[in-house]
Amino acid sequence: MCHQTVSLVARHLEANGIPTVMIGSALDIVEHCGTPRFVFSDFPLGNPCGHPWNPDMQTRTVEIALRLLQSATAPRTTVRSPFAWKPDPGWRERYNRVRPEDRERLLALGDSRRAAQGLARRTSAPA
Amino acid sequence: MNNDADAAPVPYMERTRNYYRALGYDKDYVWARFDEVPFAPLPKPLAELNVALIATAGPPDESSRDAHGRRRVWSCNVDAAPARFDTDLAWDKESTHTDDRETFLPIDAMRRLVSRGVVGGLARRFHRAPTDYSHAKTIDQDAPELLRRLREDKADAALLTAL
C-alpha cells in the first residue's frame, strides 16, 4: 500500500506543478498506477534507499533519484538502481508467500480479522 | 553492484492477491491505475532546487492518528526527526528491518548531497503520507494537504520513498 500511496501523492503534486521522483521496491504497483519518475531498488520491501547502515549506498541511491529529476523528459521514466540485495537467495519468494502448510493458519487469521472488524467476507484491504 | 539484474521483479500485486484470498477474502483489492500520467518539468537547475522528503513511516507515538485511529498527514522539522519510526506497515519483516531510518527517510544522504552542491537544499520539514486502502482518501484529502505543506515550505520538488 505504501507504493500506491506515494504514487498517488506524486501524481497530485506533479499535476499541480511540483516535480517528483520516487524510490521504491514494488515496480509492478508503481508502473500499474503510473508515475512520472521512479528509481527501482530491487530489494525486499522496507529499505528502498539502500542497505541498513550503509550511508554510501544510501547517498548514491538518493543521488540517482535527484539526477533523474533533472534528466527525465517524459513521465513513466523508471531507472533501476545498480545495487543488489544481500546474499540471501530466498528473499524474492518470502513476502506474503502462501505454502500449502500455511493455508489453515491464514484462513483462521482472516476469520479473526473479520470478527474483530465486525465484517463478513469483503474486499481485501492490504495494510 | 547488481549481480542478479536478470531476476524478475517480485510480482507484489499477484502475491498480495493470493495472500488475501488465502485469508478468506472473496473480492480482490483493486489497485489504482491511470492511463494518463502528469509530468512537471524542473523549474530551475538541480543545484538550486529545494527538495522536500515524503515517506510513509510515521512518528513512534499515536500523535498523528485521528480519533478513529486512522493515520493523518504528519510533518516534522528535519532537524528534529526521531531516530525510530512507526513502521507498522506492509514490508518484508522476515528479510530485513527498519532500524536505520535512512533506508526510508534519507535526511542525512540529502544533507551530504546539499553539502556537495548536487542539490540546492533540503526543505525544512519532511512529511508522512498516510497509507490508506481508499484511493479517494489519498487523492482527495491527503495529497492536497501535502501539496499545501510543500508550498508553505517553498519546496520546488519532492523525493518520495515507499517502505
Side-chain angles (χ1 to χ4, degrees):
Chain A
M1 194 53 60
C2 292
H3 287 74
Q4 177 172 281
T5 297
V6 293
S7 296
L8 294 173
V9 171
R11 291 176 52 87
H12 186 80
L13 297 178
E14 295 271 349
N16 286 278
I18 294 190
T20 65
V21 62
M22 292 170 46
I23 308 175
S25 298
L27 180 69
D28 60 337
I29 296 171
V30 171
E31 294 194 336
H32 184 82
C33 185
T35 64
R37 307 169 189 82
F38 180 52
V39 176
F40 172 46
S41 289
D42 194 15
F43 295 168
L45 300 179
N47 307 132
C49 300
H51 294 181
W53 319 121
N54 187 331
D56 180 58
M57 184 191 293
Q58 294 159 4
T59 303
R60 290 169 69 189
T61 302
V62 172
E63 182 169 2
I64 289 167
L66 293 173
R67 301 282 183 202
L68 181 59
L69 258 180
Q70 185 165 262
S71 64
T73 57
R76 296 187 187 275
T77 303
T78 295
V79 167
R80 187 176 181 133
S81 161
F83 302 111
W85 188 238
K86 304 168 185 181
D88 176 9
W91 77 265
R92 292 176 188 279
E93 309 305 320
R94 205 169 285 142
Y95 181 77
N96 274 359
R97 69 189 156 200
V98 181
R99 299 167 298 194
E101 62 267 34
D102 296 326
R103 291 197 174 276
E104 193 174 334
R105 177 182 59 81
L106 290 174
L107 195 54
L109 176 62
D111 286 341
S112 64
R113 279 194 195 182
R114 283 181 288 276
Q117 295 168 330
L119 297 173
R121 288 192 174 190
R122 46 155 292 170
T123 302
S124 60
Chain B
M1 301 298 269
N2 202 340
N3 54 12
D4 67 345
D6 295 333
V10 177
Y12 286 105
M13 290 191 296
E14 178 188 324
R15 201 71 72 80
T16 302
R17 185 164 56 244
N18 291 338
Y19 182 78
Y20 276 85
R21 286 178 182 175
L23 288 174
Y25 292 94
D26 52 14
K27 284 181 67 181
D28 293 332
Y29 183 72
V30 179
W31 295 91
R33 181 179 181 85
F34 299 91
D35 293 330
E36 299 295 321
V37 181
F39 185 82
L42 282 200
K44 57 179 78 165
L46 184 57
E48 298 172 19
L49 216 58
N50 190 36
V51 177
L53 294 178
I54 300 176
T56 52
D61 54 33
E62 297 292 306
S63 61
S64 72
R65 292 180 184 253
D66 66 17
H68 305 289
R70 215 168 181 183
R71 295 180 175 97
R72 296 181 296 193
V73 172
W74 171 74
S75 304
C76 178
N77 193 301
V78 292
D79 295 325
R84 301 298 293 267
F85 280 76
D86 169 17
T87 57
D88 185 19
L89 298 161
W91 50 276
D92 191 345
K93 299 176 176 75
E94 291 182 70
S95 299
T96 189
H97 62 82
T98 53
D99 295 346
D100 177 9
R101 75 160 194 224
E102 287 291 311
T103 65
F104 57 85
L105 182 66
I107 292 174
D108 296 342
M110 279 292 298
R111 285 186 168 134
R112 286 183 210 106
L113 294 164
V114 170
S115 70
R116 279 173 41 198
V118 172
V119 62
L122 175 60
R124 72 181 182 93
R125 293 186 296 180
F126 68 91
H127 312 274
R128 189 277 296 279
T131 56
D132 203 293
Y133 65 85
S134 164
H135 308 180
K137 177 175 180 294
T138 302
I139 293 170
D140 297 335
Q141 296 178 36
D142 299 332
E145 177 61 21
L146 286 160
L147 172 65
R148 189 187 69 75
R149 296 187 190 198
L150 261 59
R151 284 178 170 159
E152 205 170 80
D153 292 350
K154 298 184 171 30
D156 302 308
L159 170 60
L160 302 98
T161 59
L163 270 181

